[in-house]
Amino acid sequence: MSTRILVVEDEPGIRLALKDELEFEGFDVELAEDGATGLAAVLRSEPALIVLDLMLPGRNGFQICQELRHRGIRTPIIVLTARNEEVDKVRGLALGADDYVTKPFSLAELVARIRAVLRRSQTHDDRDVVEVPPIKLDLRKHCAFKRDVALQLTDTEFRMLALLLTRPGEVITRDEFLKQIWGEDVYVTHRTVDTHVAALRKKIEDDVEHPACIQSVRNVGYRFNENVTGS
Ligand code: CA
């Protein structure tokens, strides 16, 4: 069975060009021309990936991204942005998109991005649950727990924690966080990583002044402690 891709795009020219190209590349393609139809299609046909235009009539791409993630749907999303505005990219990624492509784009570039995101998501999906006591993450349902108490994390915090927990004891550099969580082309700095780690620590550490779970590795990055004691 071929991999199903849902394209949510209101401009007929782009929609049909995408359908032709993706079918030519061997994908099974479903089309939606507005947000409501797109959402219904995600729920009905469970595509492997969604290509989502940001500027749509009715519910826009930001709202759809947010709604899918709130419902715990982790289907990879590549956002199409009409304008080359950093703010759109950052907002799109913060709301849980996996990558973005700025219009006008080449079909070859989009196909390459789709394949890369699918590869990443398939390696992610090997495990549904990762646990390094006292933290447990359900990657499919997008839920986080500390000693079985649910944590209220933002999508960015969840993804950062997932990155740390899937490689316990290993140092994740700030550059790797930027690449994995925000995407390479987005303008964010090391300071952004530190800010999010600080927010995450407030939610998961018993003592924020002496973090036991997320350890700082001076001038390099962060590591999740495999042997958290005191719990
Ligand atoms: Ca549009």
Side-chain angles (χ1 to χ4, degrees), residues 2 4 9 15-16 22 45 51 56-57 62 68-69 108-109 126-127 141 147-148 153 160 162 171 182 208 213:
S2 47
R4 179 183 292 265
E9 164 66 76
R15 201 165 61 232
L16 295 175
L22 293 174
S45 66
V51 176
L56 292 165
F62 290 122
L68 288 173
R69 296 315 186 218
E109 183 195 354
D126 285 351
R127 279 191 290 177
K141 293 188 184 144
R147 297 184 193 102
D148 294 326
L153 304 181
M160 290 179 84
V171 181
W182 284 272
V208 179
C213 294

Coordinates of all heavy atoms in Angstrom, one line a residue, residues 2 4 9 15-16 22 45 51 56-57 62 68-69 108-109 126-127 141 147-148 153 160 162 171 182 208 213:
S2 N 0.5 2.2 -0.8 CA 1.4 3.4 -0.9 C 1.1 4.3 0.3 O 0.0 4.3 0.9 CB 1.3 4.1 -2.2 OG 0.0 4.2 -2.6
R4 N 0.0 7.5 2.2 CA -1.0 8.5 1.9 C -0.6 9.9 2.4 O -0.2 10.0 3.6 CB -2.3 8.1 2.5 CG -3.5 9.1 2.3 CD -4.7 8.6 3.0 NE -5.3 7.4 2.5 CZ -6.2 7.4 1.5 NH1 -6.8 8.5 1.1 NH2 -6.7 6.3 1.0
E9 N -4.9 22.7 0.7 CA -4.5 23.9 0.0 C -5.7 24.5 -0.8 O -6.4 23.7 -1.5 CB -3.4 23.5 -1.0 CG -3.1 24.5 -2.1 CD -2.5 25.8 -1.6 OE1 -1.3 25.8 -1.2 OE2 -3.3 26.8 -1.6
R15 N -2.8 23.0 -5.7 CA -3.4 21.7 -5.2 C -3.2 20.6 -6.3 O -2.7 19.5 -6.0 CB -4.8 21.9 -4.9 CG -5.4 20.9 -4.0 CD -6.8 21.4 -3.4 NE -7.8 21.6 -4.5 CZ -8.5 22.7 -4.6 NH1 -8.3 23.7 -3.8 NH2 -9.3 22.8 -5.6
L16 N -3.5 21.0 -7.5 CA -3.5 19.9 -8.6 C -2.0 19.6 -9.0 O -1.7 18.5 -9.2 CB -4.3 20.4 -9.8 CG -5.8 20.5 -9.4 CD1 -6.6 21.0 -10.6 CD2 -6.3 19.1 -9.0
L22 N 3.1 14.4 -6.6 CA 3.2 13.4 -5.5 C 2.7 12.0 -6.0 O 3.3 11.0 -5.6 CB 2.4 13.8 -4.3 CG 2.9 15.1 -3.6 CD1 2.0 15.5 -2.4 CD2 4.3 14.8 -3.0
S45 N -9.0 9.4 7.3 CA -8.2 8.5 6.5 C -6.8 8.3 7.0 O -5.9 7.6 6.4 CB -8.1 9.0 5.0 OG -7.5 10.2 5.0
V51 N 0.4 18.0 4.1 CA 1.0 19.3 3.6 C -0.1 20.3 3.7 O -1.2 20.2 3.2 CB 1.3 19.1 2.1 CG1 1.8 20.4 1.5 CG2 2.4 18.0 1.9
L56 N -5.7 29.8 4.7 CA -6.8 29.0 4.1 C -8.1 29.8 4.5 O -8.2 30.5 5.5 CB -6.9 27.6 4.8 CG -5.8 26.6 4.4 CD1 -5.8 25.5 5.4 CD2 -6.0 26.1 3.0
P57 N -9.2 29.6 3.7 CA -10.4 30.2 4.1 C -11.0 29.4 5.3 O -10.7 28.3 5.5 CB -11.3 30.0 2.9 CG -10.7 28.8 2.1 CD -9.2 28.9 2.4
F62 N -2.6 27.5 11.0 CA -2.2 27.6 12.4 C -3.2 26.9 13.3 O -2.9 26.1 14.2 CB -2.1 29.0 12.9 CG -0.9 29.8 12.3 CD1 -1.2 31.0 11.6 CD2 0.4 29.4 12.5 CE1 -0.1 31.7 11.1 CE2 1.4 30.1 12.0 CZ 1.2 31.2 11.2
L68 N -5.1 19.7 15.8 CA -4.7 18.3 15.6 C -3.8 17.9 16.8 O -4.0 16.9 17.4 CB -3.9 18.2 14.3 CG -4.6 18.2 13.0 CD1 -3.7 18.2 11.8 CD2 -5.6 17.0 12.9
R69 N -2.9 18.8 17.2 CA -2.0 18.5 18.3 C -2.7 18.4 19.6 O -2.5 17.5 20.4 CB -0.8 19.5 18.4 CG 0.1 19.5 17.2 CD 0.5 18.2 16.7 NE 1.6 18.2 15.6 CZ 1.6 17.4 14.5 NH1 0.7 16.5 14.4 NH2 2.6 17.5 13.7
A108 N 10.4 19.6 -6.4 CA 11.5 18.7 -6.0 C 11.8 18.9 -4.6 O 12.1 18.0 -3.8 CB 12.7 18.9 -6.9
E109 N 11.9 20.2 -4.2 CA 12.2 20.5 -2.8 C 11.2 20.0 -1.8 O 11.5 19.4 -0.8 CB 12.4 22.1 -2.6 CG 12.8 22.4 -1.2 CD 12.6 23.9 -0.8 OE1 12.3 24.7 -1.7 OE2 12.8 24.2 0.3
D126 N 9.0 4.0 16.2 CA 9.4 2.7 16.7 C 8.9 2.5 18.1 O 8.6 1.4 18.5 CB 10.9 2.6 16.7 CG 11.4 2.4 15.2 OD1 10.5 2.3 14.4 OD2 12.6 2.5 15.0
R127 N 8.9 3.5 18.9 CA 8.5 3.3 20.3 C 7.3 4.2 20.6 O 7.3 5.4 20.2 CB 9.6 3.7 21.2 CG 10.6 2.6 21.4 CD 11.6 2.9 22.5 NE 12.5 4.0 22.1 CZ 13.4 4.5 22.9 NH1 13.5 4.0 24.2 NH2 14.2 5.4 22.6
K141 N 0.3 9.5 22.0 CA -0.8 10.3 22.5 C -0.3 11.7 22.9 O -1.1 12.6 23.3 CB -1.4 9.7 23.7 CG -2.1 8.4 23.4 CD -2.9 7.8 24.5 CE -3.5 6.5 24.2 NZ -3.5 5.6 25.3
R147 N 6.0 10.5 37.7 CA 5.5 9.6 38.7 C 3.9 9.4 38.5 O 3.2 9.6 39.5 CB 5.8 10.0 40.1 CG 7.3 10.1 40.4 CD 7.6 10.5 41.8 NE 9.0 10.8 41.9 CZ 9.5 12.0 42.0 NH1 8.7 13.1 42.0 NH2 10.8 12.2 42.1
D148 N 3.5 9.2 37.3 CA 2.1 9.0 36.9 C 1.2 10.2 37.1 O 0.0 10.0 36.9 CB 1.6 7.8 37.7 CG 2.2 6.5 37.2 OD1 2.6 6.4 36.0 OD2 2.4 5.6 38.1
L153 N 2.6 20.3 29.4 CA 3.8 20.8 28.6 C 3.3 21.4 27.3 O 2.3 21.0 26.8 CB 4.7 19.6 28.3 CG 5.3 18.8 29.4 CD1 6.3 17.8 28.9 CD2 6.0 19.7 30.5
M160 N 11.2 18.7 23.2 CA 12.5 18.7 23.8 C 12.7 17.6 24.7 O 13.8 16.9 24.7 CB 12.7 20.1 24.5 CG 12.8 21.2 23.5 SD 13.0 22.8 24.4 CE 14.8 22.8 24.6
A162 N 11.2 14.8 24.7 CA 11.2 13.5 24.0 C 12.6 13.3 23.4 O 13.1 12.2 23.5 CB 10.2 13.5 22.9
V171 N 24.6 13.7 25.8 CA 24.5 15.1 25.8 C 23.9 15.5 24.4 O 24.3 15.1 23.4 CB 25.9 15.8 25.9 CG1 25.7 17.3 25.8 CG2 26.6 15.4 27.1
W182 N 13.4 23.2 16.1 CA 12.9 24.4 15.4 C 13.2 24.4 13.9 O 12.6 25.1 13.1 CB 13.6 25.7 16.0 CG 13.0 26.1 17.3 CD1 11.9 27.0 17.4 CD2 13.4 25.7 18.6 NE1 11.7 27.1 18.8 CE2 12.6 26.4 19.5 CE3 14.4 24.9 19.1 CZ2 12.7 26.2 20.9 CZ3 14.6 24.7 20.4 CH2 13.7 25.4 21.3
V208 N 14.2 23.1 41.4 CA 14.7 23.8 40.1 C 16.1 24.3 40.3 O 16.9 24.4 39.4 CB 13.7 25.0 39.7 CG1 14.2 25.7 38.5 CG2 12.3 24.4 39.5
C213 N 16.9 15.9 36.9 CA 16.6 15.2 35.7 C 17.4 15.8 34.5 O 18.1 15.1 33.9 CB 15.1 15.4 35.4 SG 14.0 14.6 36.6

